Structures are given as C-alpha cells and as structure tokens.
Amino acid sequence: MEQDSSFRPERILDLSERLSSVAGEKIGEIARVNRAAKMLSINALIVAARAGEAGKGFAIVAEEFKKISTEIDAVAAALESQVRADLDELSAIGGAILSHMRGQRLADLALNAIEIVDRNLYERTCDVRWWATDSAVVACLGEEDEGARLHASNRLGVILDAYTVYLDLWICDARGKVVANGRPSRYPNVVGQSVADTRWFQEGLRTASGDDFVACDIERCRALGDAPVATYATAIRAGGEATGKPLGVLGVHFDWRPQAQAVVDGVRLTSEERERSRVMLLDQKGRVLASSDNQGVLTEIFPLDTSAGSMGSYADGEITVGYALTPGYETYAGLGWYGCLVQRQQVPGLTTVAA
C-alpha cells in the first residue's frame, strides 16, 4: 500500500505554517505599499503648500489620502493580529489532533501485536494439555521401563518435527527428574536433570485437573543452550484422564526469540516510520521481552506509564508512546504483558512512503 504524501495528517501543520508565512508576507506587502502611499501624500501636501491658493484643492485630496492610509494601517494591524491568533490556534488544534491520532494509531498497533502473541500462546496451552494425555507420554511414567521411555522420546520427537516452534518437550516424574525429552541428540544432557525447584514443575504437578495448565514468563534455559523460552506445563495423569492421579509433569519449551521477533518486526509501519520507531513486548514489570531493534531483551526495564488505563498513549518530549495490555484469548488470560510502540517525531519535510 502506498500513501500519497499530500494526504498525510502532518499536512495540517504544514498548511498552517504555510498560511502563517503567506499571511505574514502579504500583510507586510500591504504595509510596505501603504508606507509608499503615505510618503506620496506627504510629498503632495508639501507641493500643495508651496503652490499656495492654487494648491488648496490638491491639498484636500492629499489629506484625505493620508487619512485613508492611516485607516489601512489600522486594518492591516488588526488583520495581522487576528490572523496570527487564528493561525496559532489552528496550529495548536492541529498539533493536538495529530498527537491524538498518532498516539491512537500506536496504541492500536500495540494491541494488534499483543493479540497476535496471545493467540499464539493460547495454542501452546492447548498443546501441553493435549500431549499430556498421549498414551506414550502416560506410559513413560506408568510403566517406568527403558523401552517405554525410549518410545515416549521418539513420540515427542515426532511431535517436534511437526511443531517447529518448540525447542524441546520434557517428561518429568513426580520427583522432578526429567526422564525423557524429544530431542536427545540436540540436548543430550537433559535426561536425568532435576527441575524440582522450578515454578513450572511445582505448579504443573499441583494442577487441579487435566484442563489446567501453568504459563511462565520468559526465562533463559541453560539446558537448552541458554535460549529464552516460554514454558508451559501440566500434570501427566494416570490413564490420561483429566481427573487421574498426577504421575509427573509435561513441560513444553516454546522457542521464544524467533517467534517474538517475527511479531515485533511484522507490525505494519511504513519504511519511514520503522526508522524512527521501536516496537516492544513487555512483561508486567516492564522487562523487554522482544524489541524490533534487538536491544535490551530480557535485561532492560522500560518505564511504561500506564496511568491512562489498559490501553493508551502519551507524549514524552519528542517521542510518542502507545501501549496496550494483553486482553488474553479464550482460556489463556495472559500474564499481564504489554505491546508497546515508541516513535520519534517525524523530521519536517520528509516524504512518507508506505512499505
């Protein structure tokens, strides 16, 4: 889609500034011409005075012309004062409208970004609850023999071949020991590790039924090459039944970085806007989970002002910030994350061309 630069909202201010310049120039020209007319009337009065009685009629015309010039000065001054005030007000209103439009657009884009994330992560919650009922996964903990574990590992590998958004899937026993994973050749040191102290395991084991799940914030996982992952978990239950006894926990590790980067890079900005914008996903504490400039991921805390509510925008110096709180999707309520766009003011005179 290509955007004609003549229809940019910024044209409101461009036209206002042009009108102000033209009005000032033309009023100046009126004043200049009137000054010349005044000089002519003064010269005419001097000549009439020298002419004596013969110049009296000419003097009357010159005097009237001088009065008209004075009135023109007053009209020009009033015009300049009124036009300047109106144009200043027009510029202020135009600036406020543009600021609101820009902020609203950024907030809308932020909402769209976090909604895409929500829908993606909702599917992860469905995956973990479904795969925890797989017969091979249940048998891995129910039978507790090497053959069952090998079969479960192979089964997880088949799943991973189809669901490439995951780094690995782990089956853990009730004590928190990883007994099988889906990519043993890539991550050979996973089996045998204890995850008993992790939140996802502890809360996953305590889930009330097979309909429940645990969703965790983004953290780096040393066992997976220190990659940032979004881990989802639920209990593996006897017989694969929703109300069966918990035998252990299935943990699925979502490959966060490439998926999140695709979201922030995919926000619909023009090429010019992209140069002066930063798109981010933030957790509930403002920690940067993903950023279009790849800066500060999992290390920076962005000071987002959410005083306007769950969705809004605000100006901070020469930048405009738009944000939106996760609305959740279906049974995934979200983790209090935000979509956020930070955009610098446009350089005057720059033509906008949409990507």
Side-chain angles (χ1 to χ4, degrees), residues 315-351:
D316 185 4
E318 295 188 353
I319 66 171
T320 301
V321 180
Y323 69 90
L325 174 67
T326 169
Y329 185 73
E330 298 289 343
T331 56
Y332 177 68
L335 298 174
W337 294 358
Y338 288 87
C340 178
L341 274 81
V342 178
Q343 190 174 90
R344 299 188 307 276
Q345 287 184 3
Q346 186 178 28
V347 178
L350 208 60
T351 300

Side-chain angles (χ1 to χ4, degrees), residues 182-201:
R183 287 185 172 139
S185 58
R186 183 185 298 184
Y187 306 112
N189 299 319
V190 167
V191 172
Q193 286 194 18
S194 174
V195 294
D197 61 345
T198 63
R199 176 186 160 229
W200 63 264
F201 171 79

Side-chain angles (χ1 to χ4, degrees), residues 59-350:
I60 293 172
V61 174
E63 189 65 41
E64 288 300 317
F65 197 82
K66 181 180 177 183
K67 290 179 181 179
I68 291 172
S69 293
T70 302
E71 291 177 3
I72 291 174
D73 273 343
V75 171
L79 178 62
E80 181 177 20
S81 175
Q82 185 61 52
V83 168
R84 182 67 59 194
D86 288 348
L87 286 174
D88 287 346
E89 184 179 359
L90 177 61
S91 294
I93 293 173
I97 292 173
L98 284 176
S99 178
H100 175 75
M101 289 174 61
R102 184 182 298 114
Q104 186 60 54
R105 178 167 181 267
L106 295 182
D108 288 341
L109 290 172
L111 177 61
N112 180 252
I114 197 63
E115 283 184 327
I116 292 173
V117 173
D118 282 345
R119 295 187 182 205
N120 197 324
L121 298 184
Y122 163 71
E123 293 178 6
R124 311 293 68 88
T125 70
C126 297
D127 292 344
V128 70
R129 287 177 287 178
W130 171 29
W131 296 335
T133 66
D134 188 280
S135 59
V137 172
V138 175
C140 176
L141 295 179
E143 298 179 14
E144 296 188 354
D145 65 68
E146 191 60 29
R149 292 174 183 175
L150 180 60
H151 178 56
S153 179
N154 290 336
R155 172 60 180 155
L156 295 181
V158 170
I159 292 173
L160 287 169
D161 287 341
Y163 290 79
T164 56
V165 296
Y166 291 100
L167 286 175
D168 206 2
L169 312 179
W170 295 358
I171 298 174
C172 312
D173 64 20
R175 293 169 296 178
K177 178 182 176 182
V178 181
V179 298
N181 70 318
R183 287 185 172 139
S185 58
R186 183 185 298 184
Y187 306 112
N189 299 319
V190 167
V191 172
Q193 286 194 18
S194 174
V195 294
D197 61 345
T198 63
R199 176 186 160 229
W200 63 264
F201 171 79
Q202 293 173 357
E203 295 187 10
L205 194 63
R206 292 198 298 266
T207 49
S209 75
D211 296 326
D212 300 316
F213 62 89
V214 177
C216 295
D217 276 318
I218 310 303
E219 299 292 346
R220 294 189 180 277
C221 181
R222 182 176 300 178
L224 298 176
D226 208 35
V229 296
T231 300
Y232 293 80
T234 193
I236 300 168
R237 299 177 181 275
E241 299 294 332
T243 56
K245 176 185 176 182
L247 303 175
V249 171
L250 175 65
V252 301
H253 302 292
F254 181 64
D255 190 4
W256 173 254
R257 192 194 65 77
Q259 317 307 325
Q261 198 65 41
V263 172
V264 294
D265 289 345
V267 170
R268 292 182 64 83
L269 295 169
T270 67
S271 56
E272 184 277 325
E273 284 179 312
R274 199 170 296 281
E275 289 295 321
R276 55 189 177 90
S277 302
R278 185 186 188 194
V279 184
M280 294 178 287
L281 299 174
L282 309 173
D283 71 10
Q284 66 273 27
K285 296 180 181 179
R287 184 177 58 142
V288 176
L289 302 176
S291 178
S292 57
D293 61 4
N294 284 297
Q295 300 298 309
V297 177
L298 301 185
T299 59
E300 177 187 350
I301 302 296
F302 182 80
L304 183 64
D305 180 359
T306 60
S307 58
S310 60
M311 179 179 177
S313 64
Y314 58 91
D316 185 4
E318 295 188 353
I319 66 171
T320 301
V321 180
Y323 69 90
L325 174 67
T326 169
Y329 185 73
E330 298 289 343
T331 56
Y332 177 68
L335 298 174
W337 294 358
Y338 288 87
C340 178
L341 274 81
V342 178
Q343 190 174 90
R344 299 188 307 276
Q345 287 184 3
Q346 186 178 28
V347 178
L350 208 60

Side-chain angles (χ1 to χ4, degrees), residues 12-28:
I12 296 174
L13 291 183
D14 292 344
L15 291 172
S16 175
E17 290 174 2
R18 183 183 299 178
L19 283 172
S20 179
S21 176
V22 169
E25 181 181 335
K26 297 307 178 184
I27 291 172

